[in-house]
Amino acid sequence: MKNTKKIQIEMNRLGSRGEPFVFLIDFLMEKPLIFSVDTPPEKLQWQTPKKCSIQTSAIKHKLTHWKTFPVSFTEYKKGFDLVQQHIRSGDTYLLNFTQPTPVKTNLSLEEIFQISRAPYKILLPNKFVCFSPEPFVKIEDGQISSFPMKGTIDAGTENAEELILSDSKELAEHNTIVDLIRNDLSLVSENVKVEKFRYLERIHTNNKDLWQVSSKITGNLPENYASKIGDILFSMLPAGSISGAPKKKTVEIIHEAEKYDRDFYAGIFGVFDGHNLDSCVLIRFIENQNGKLVYKSGGGITFMSKAETEYEEMLKKVYVPVG
């Protein structure tokens, strides 16, 4: 945690001086990294909706081979049942349960980074690639916004939009996350409100199209927010949408149920330009583990969740967004 505190203080220092920086924070906040915005591409590449660290070039790669090796349903259900046991005991009421899925493909991490299409893309060379659809927080002229994403359905399903928005389990899960994020923003800002509730976004993948459900929550930061930018970020971590509620106990249960290291998966990435900030949750994530590629994915579990449905959602999220 010593390095974590050091990075937090450095973020505050750079913020107070209006100096831009880029950062990566792992799920457990044990080994955060900070970079200059002009870090060479062999060390880090990134792209946000408004900024990019690299020059785009003509794409010459195609995804022609994609095979997944997920955990069995039986193995998944062991963790799922443990989560449900904790829910019944009142230890957690929403937990984002994830598992690793080894994948084989004809493309390297860098090639996947180049062909993927997402609002946020990050490549830590030889470590991981992430193509995230989910913002974490944005800061623009003193207003902080968060966009929790909860709810996924195959867009090819008949009446998919109506089904996902009318699903009582999905609604309860989304309400919980909105409340959690609203509370997180209240720690650092005032006049917190939900500006948009449960809107749909369509995502194109190498397998199928998906609908995902998000909300927008905003608050007003104090005038000196830039000098506390590190404090603001770390006070809201881990991100509620990929941990659960209540956070501290839920993270303990995640460790017990998942039995693997999330590492930078489900952490955050962000860019501070000297005044404003844009960041994302590190989901849709492929990691290099000793030369083998592992995709990490999952979904939120509540007392209404069914193991078969949650298992299928985890598998749906093992994709590359293309086209």
Side-chain angles (χ1 to χ4, degrees):
M1 295 301 289
K2 184 177 181 181
N3 182 54
T4 299
K5 190 63 178 178
K6 182 179 178 182
I7 294 293
Q8 186 173 338
I9 292 171
E10 178 66 3
M11 286 180 171
N12 291 341
R13 186 187 71 82
L14 293 172
S16 66
R17 297 173 60 170
E19 295 184 19
F21 61 86
V22 177
F23 60 91
L24 284 163
I25 304 176
D26 57 301
F27 177 66
L28 293 178
M29 297 171 282
E30 294 177 340
K31 46 187 178 184
L33 301 172
I34 192 166
F35 304 86
S36 68
V37 292
D38 57 355
T39 297
E42 62 267 22
K43 293 187 177 180
L44 179 72
Q45 297 183 45
W46 54 268
Q47 180 178 310
T48 70
K50 294 183 178 180
K51 298 180 184 296
C52 182
S53 70
I54 55 172
Q55 294 293 324
T56 57
S57 57
I59 303 301
K60 300 179 181 179
H61 315 293
K62 288 188 177 181
L63 182 61
T64 59
H65 180 67
W66 180 260
K67 189 170 180 60
T68 63
F69 303 87
V71 298
S72 67
F73 175 72
T74 300
E75 191 63 27
Y76 175 87
K77 194 169 184 298
K78 290 178 183 177
F80 177 90
D81 288 345
L82 178 60
V83 172
Q84 287 290 358
Q85 179 183 326
H86 279 285
I87 290 174
R88 289 192 296 271
S89 299
D91 301 324
T92 181
Y93 47 94
L94 171 64
L95 183 147
N96 198 73
F97 180 53
T98 76
Q99 288 291 280
T101 297
V103 298
K104 286 187 177 180
T105 177
N106 62 300
L107 300 181
S108 66
L109 290 180
E110 183 168 9
E111 290 167 343
I112 291 172
F113 175 82
Q114 291 172 352
I115 71 163
S116 59
R117 296 289 179 268
Y120 301 87
K121 300 200 302 179
I122 305 95
L123 174 71
L124 193 60
N126 301 315
K127 299 292 185 181
F128 71 79
V129 65
C130 177
F131 27 86
S132 178
E134 181 175 1
F136 175 51
V137 295
K138 295 184 180 183
I139 297 174
E140 295 179 326
D141 299 325
Q143 183 182 77
I144 186 169
S145 305
S146 188
F147 305 81
M149 180 179 287
K150 275 295 169 195
T152 304
I153 192 170
D154 183 342
T157 303
E158 187 175 355
N159 299 320
E161 297 167 73
E162 180 182 343
L163 285 174
I164 191 71
L165 291 177
S166 62
D167 187 296
S168 56
K169 179 264 178 185
E170 296 291 352
L171 175 60
E173 183 181 339
H174 202 94
N175 276 329
T176 298
I177 285 301
V178 167
D179 283 343
L180 177 61
I181 300 302
R182 186 166 52 188
N183 289 336
D184 282 352
L185 290 188
S186 295
L187 296 174
V188 300
S189 64
E190 297 180 342
N191 302 319
V192 176
K193 59 183 177 181
V194 180
E195 288 203 1
K196 291 179 68 177
F197 183 67
R198 298 189 82 211
Y199 58 89
L200 287 165
E201 295 176 295
R202 192 177 184 114
I203 296 176
H204 304 287
T205 86
N206 60 307
N207 292 322
K208 61 185 72 176
D209 281 13
L210 302 173
W211 283 113
Q212 296 208 294
V213 186
S214 298
S215 288
K216 179 181 180 180
I217 308 162
T218 63
N220 298 322
L221 293 168
E223 287 189 11
N224 65 339
Y225 71 87
S227 65
K228 299 180 179 180
I229 198 74
D231 299 343
I232 289 170
L233 289 168
F234 278 95
S235 69
M236 294 188 292
L237 294 177
S241 64
I242 40 70
S243 54
K247 275 191 190 179
K248 184 176 180 182
K249 182 62 177 178
T250 299
V251 170
E252 293 176 10
I253 300 168
I254 284 173
H255 181 73
E256 179 185 4
E258 292 185 346
K259 293 183 170 58
Y260 83 105
D261 186 7
R262 287 189 175 189
D263 202 26
F264 278 96
Y265 168 62
I268 65 169
F269 162 82
V271 182
F272 178 69
D273 67 6
H275 182 66
N276 296 323
L277 179 139
D278 195 0
S279 65
C280 72
V281 181
L282 293 172
I283 57 173
R284 312 299 184 265
F285 184 103
I286 308 175
E287 184 175 276
N288 177 11
Q289 295 184 2
N290 300 315
K292 297 182 179 181
L293 300 185
V294 177
Y295 203 119
K296 298 177 177 180
S297 66
I301 308 298
T302 71
F303 75 96
M304 291 186 286
S305 296
K306 296 180 180 179
E308 294 82 1
T309 303
E310 298 299 337
Y311 180 71
E312 287 302 316
E313 179 173 339
M314 180 190 76
L315 300 184
K316 286 176 187 174
K317 292 176 178 174
V318 181
Y319 67 78
V320 177
V322 296

